[in-house]
Amino acid sequence: MSTRYRIFSLAVLLFPLAGCGSTSALPTADASDGAALQQVGEMLRDYQLSNGSPPHTLKQLQANAGASPGGVEQLRSSGVVVIWGATLPDTKEEPGGSPDEDVLAYGKDAPEKGGAVLLLNRTVRTMTADEFKAAPKAKSSAPPAKSPSKARSNAR
């Protein structure tokens, strides 16, 4: 067998393997924080669509977990801080449909170390600690008042 044929055969055998190796690095904390924040944004969107108003507590969100009951548990254990009661300006399926970029949720370390931040328009951005401190925060609306009939039944 000629040397040229051996080289050609080897190249043909190895060519399909080119590019099979992973070029992406392992997920970083920012990437996993970003994914968790995207899920939080989707849960808040689903809640607001179902109830007409945003959740004011984790307990309210949990009661309406619907399609993502595991998401609430992940939220509870992930160290994500949510500004409860902030109304989403846009509940379309795709995030980023509004110019509102107030901070809605963030990783617990974002104020000191920076990190991934969920904005009111449901996009995720990485901020430094200084950017986070300077960024406007979402405003929480007042929780809905309890109906008189519920208040009376709870008093008994």
Side-chain angles (χ1 to χ4, degrees):
M1 211 185 308
S2 74
T3 306
R4 197 182 283 173
Y5 179 75
R6 284 185 197 159
I7 293 172
F8 177 75
S9 297
L10 185 60
V12 168
L13 289 172
L14 295 178
F15 181 74
L17 298 177
C20 287
S22 175
T23 58
S24 62
L26 293 174
T28 62
D30 278 350
S32 61
D33 288 348
L37 287 169
Q38 286 176 330
Q39 186 174 11
V40 167
E42 190 58 28
M43 288 188 304
L44 295 172
R45 173 186 169 267
D46 288 344
Y47 184 96
Q48 187 168 316
L49 283 171
S50 297
N51 296 285
S53 63
H56 288 85
T57 64
L58 179 62
K59 191 174 182 178
Q60 282 183 332
L61 187 62
Q62 186 173 10
N64 193 59
S68 61
V72 173
E73 195 54 44
Q74 181 183 2
L75 176 59
R76 181 177 282 139
S77 64
S78 69
V80 171
V81 177
V82 176
I83 299 174
W84 297 106
T87 302
L88 298 173
D90 175 21
T91 55
K92 293 179 185 157
E93 192 166 338
E94 284 298 314
S98 78
D100 295 302
E101 294 192 345
D102 295 0
V103 174
L104 176 60
Y106 52 93
K108 65 181 177 189
D109 295 333
E112 295 85 32
K113 300 178 184 176
V117 174
L118 176 68
L119 304 175
L120 203 51
N121 64 9
R122 293 181 294 120
T123 58
V124 175
R125 179 185 303 159
T126 300
M127 292 184 177
T128 65
D130 289 336
E131 289 172 328
F132 179 85
K133 289 173 187 161
K137 309 306 183 273
K139 305 289 184 262
S140 178
S141 62
K146 287 188 177 184
S147 67
S149 62
K150 271 190 175 177
R152 265 188 263 126
S153 66
N154 287 340
R156 291 181 189 173

